[in-house]
Amino acid sequence: MSVLVAFSVTPIGAGEDVGEMVAEAVRVVRASGLPNRTDAMFTTVEGETWDEVLGVVKDAVAAVEARCSRVSLVLKADARAGQGRLDAKVATVERHLAEGAS
């Protein structure tokens, strides 16, 4: 089983410059040892079980909560048989883009 979760943690009421607090959440994800990727809008993490991945999300939210009393969480998830889908899904799209460019 592969569980992919893309999530965004936003401190509420902390002003416009929240990058330092968001970095705390990303540190938690990276320390988990699970495959992950952060982009401008979301951090995606991949694990073998729901509990494993959602535990990381919970800890990431807690890291932001430690510095801000209100936190917003947006989450999108995908569960499917297999492993390594964090990279495989992107590779599939890139392959189709390359085929269409020919």
Side-chain angles (χ1 to χ4, degrees):
M1 172 69 79
S2 170
V3 178
L4 286 175
V5 172
F7 71 101
S8 174
V9 178
T10 306
I12 303 295
E16 288 185 36
D17 188 10
V18 297
E20 187 176 335
M21 284 183 265
V22 171
E24 293 297 325
V26 175
R27 277 190 187 95
V28 168
V29 173
R30 291 183 179 175
S32 75
L34 295 177
N36 65 83
R37 178 176 295 131
T38 298
D39 61 34
M41 298 293 293
F42 287 92
T43 294
T44 304
V45 62
E46 179 177 14
E48 294 182 7
T49 67
W50 283 102
D51 289 342
E52 179 180 46
V53 175
L54 292 179
V56 172
V57 172
K58 181 181 176 187
D59 292 345
V61 170
V64 176
E65 281 180 319
R67 301 194 46 201
C68 182
S69 62
R70 185 175 177 195
V71 178
S72 173
L73 173 68
V74 175
L75 185 140
K76 182 176 181 179
D78 180 25
R80 184 176 179 183
Q83 297 287 324
R85 294 185 322 116
L86 183 66
D87 295 322
K89 289 177 71 117
V90 174
T92 298
V93 172
E94 291 294 339
R95 186 183 81 242
H96 286 292
L97 287 169
E99 290 169 358
S102 306

